[in-house]
Amino acid sequence: MSTYWLKFQTKTDATFGRGDGVASLIDAEVQHDRYGLLFLGGRSLKGLLEEECASILFALKHQYTYLFCWNDVPGNDTEKFLDFLKQNCAVAWLEDVDIKKSADDKTISISKDDNLAEITINEAEEKVALKISGIITYNLKVETENGKLNIYQNKDCKFNRAARHLFGSPGSTDSDKAILHISDARLPADLRKAVASQVDKEDGLNTLHPEQVLNSLTAIRRQTAINKYGAPKKKSLRAMRVILRKTPFEAELTFNQDPSYMDLPLLAACIKAFRRAGTGRNRGRGELVARLCNETGADVTDEYFAVFKDQVME
C-alpha cells in the first residue's frame, strides 16, 4: 500500500461549507470538528480533483499523437504497434506473437496460443477499431500522408486508464473501482494534537474552548444584494464564516495497490490544476495552491508533472 499527501494552503478567504448555518449568527457555517478545527471532507476533495481530471482529459481529447504506420505492420513499425498494445491495453502476452495481415489489407491479427487481438481499418470513416477477445477497446484515427496510412490516438487515451484507477467509473465493480482513497483535508497533525490536548484537559482547567479555536481560524463576512439604483435589497443581508487566508491543510492519499505508470503523473497534473475550493470559489473565494508530497513529506509535484508533460508533448 502506497501513501502520498495532498498539501494546500488557502491564498484567499475560503468557506468549506457544511450546508447549514447558526441561528441568528451566520447563514453559512464551515466544516469543523468538536475541537473547532477546520476540515474539507474527503468526498468533496475527491470530487474537486475529479473535476480537474475531467477538464484535462477533455482538452487532450482533441489532440492526437502518432502511433504507427498501417503499411509498416508487420514491418518497420511492428515494435511501435506492440508497444501501444502493452502501454494502453494492458495486453501481457505480446512476446513471440504471430502477426498477420488479411488479404484485403484491412485487418491485422495478433495471436499467441489461445489469445487473439484484431485491429481493423475503415478508410472511408478514417477510423481503426481494436478488438481484444471480441470486445472493441479503442477507436483510433487514420490519416493518409505521402501515400501511407498513419494511425493516431487521442492524447486523452493515454490517461483514461489512469483516471479510472484514480477515481473509478460510474457503476464500477470490485475489479475496476478506484485504487485511490482520499482522507479529509485537515490542519497539520502537530497543531491538531496540541489543540486537542488543551481542549481535553482532564483536570477541568481547559485553557482552550472549541469556540475560541474556531474563531481564531476564521472570520465572519457579510454581504448583501443591491438593486439597480445601488441600494441594498430588503432581506438580502447574508453572513458567512470564512477560513482565513494562509491556512494550511493536508489530506492523506492512500493507494490500495501500486499505482500504474501514468497514475501519479496524472494525479500531479490534477493537483496543479486544483486552485479553488469551497463556496463562492467562482467568485474570488477559496483560492489555494496545492502540492503532491510523498510519504516523507517531500514535494514531488514537479517530478511527476514532468512525466505527464512529456507524454502530452510527444
Side-chain angles (χ1 to χ4, degrees), residues 20-207:
D20 63 0
V22 178
S24 73
L25 180 61
I26 53 176
D27 299 288
E29 181 60 283
V30 297
Q31 292 179 309
H32 60 273
D33 59 21
R34 69 186 187 90
Y35 299 109
L37 295 168
L38 311 167
F39 70 92
L40 173 61
R43 292 180 65 181
S44 297
L45 183 55
K46 179 182 177 181
L48 291 166
L49 291 176
E50 192 170 3
E51 182 180 342
E52 299 298 346
C53 181
S55 297
I56 290 171
L57 294 182
F58 179 80
L60 294 177
K61 188 175 183 178
H62 302 284
Q63 301 181 44
Y64 298 92
T65 185
Y66 173 81
L67 292 178
F68 60 91
C69 176
W70 182 269
N71 306 76
D72 293 336
V73 178
N76 294 334
D77 276 7
T78 296
E79 287 301 319
K80 292 180 180 179
F81 175 53
L82 294 178
D83 186 62
F84 159 71
L85 294 178
K86 291 176 184 177
Q87 296 296 333
N88 295 271
C89 307
V91 181
W93 46 268
L94 293 175
E95 297 297 330
D96 301 320
V97 294
D98 185 24
I99 302 177
K100 294 181 180 179
K101 189 175 286 185
S102 63
D104 62 1
D105 203 37
K106 301 297 184 184
T107 303
I108 298 174
S109 300
I110 311 97
S111 60
K112 181 179 181 180
D113 301 328
D114 295 330
N115 300 302
L116 176 65
E118 291 184 332
I119 181 167
T120 305
I121 192 168
N122 185 331
E123 294 181 60
E125 296 184 8
E126 297 185 339
K127 289 183 179 179
V128 169
L130 172 62
K131 294 182 180 180
I132 300 176
S133 301
I135 301 174
I136 295 179
T137 305
Y138 274 96
N139 282 309
L140 305 173
K141 180 178 174 64
V142 181
E143 285 191 3
T144 302
E145 298 176 10
N146 299 322
K148 290 192 172 184
L149 300 175
N150 291 334
I151 311 303
Y152 293 84
Q153 176 190 41
N154 298 82
K155 288 191 175 182
D156 69 317
C157 292
K158 290 185 177 183
F159 305 101
N160 283 332
R161 184 164 170 248
R164 291 194 297 271
H165 271 181
L166 295 174
F167 305 111
S169 56
S172 58
T173 62
D174 288 341
S175 62
D176 61 353
K177 65 182 180 181
I179 67 172
L180 172 64
H181 299 274
I182 304 176
S183 73
D184 295 343
R186 296 185 176 274
L187 299 176
D190 53 352
L191 174 60
R192 287 186 279 119
K193 184 177 180 180
V195 170
S197 67
Q198 295 300 313
V199 174
D200 285 340
K201 277 194 171 181
E202 296 181 358
D203 57 11
L205 300 177
N206 308 63
T207 58

Side-chain angles (χ1 to χ4, degrees), residues 12 24 27 126 135 167 189 209 299 301 303 307 314:
T12 61
S24 73
D27 299 288
E126 297 185 339
I135 301 174
F167 305 111
H209 295 277
D299 187 344
T301 315
E303 173 187 344
V307 177
E314 71 175 14

Side-chain angles (χ1 to χ4, degrees), residues 83 86-88 158-159 161-162 165 179 258-267 304 306-308 310-311 314:
D83 186 62
K86 291 176 184 177
Q87 296 296 333
N88 295 271
K158 290 185 177 183
F159 305 101
R161 184 164 170 248
H165 271 181
I179 67 172
D258 290 337
S260 64
Y261 176 61
M262 276 293 112
D263 290 355
L264 290 172
L266 178 59
L267 180 59
Y304 285 112
V307 177
F308 173 84
D310 289 343
Q311 290 294 315
E314 71 175 14

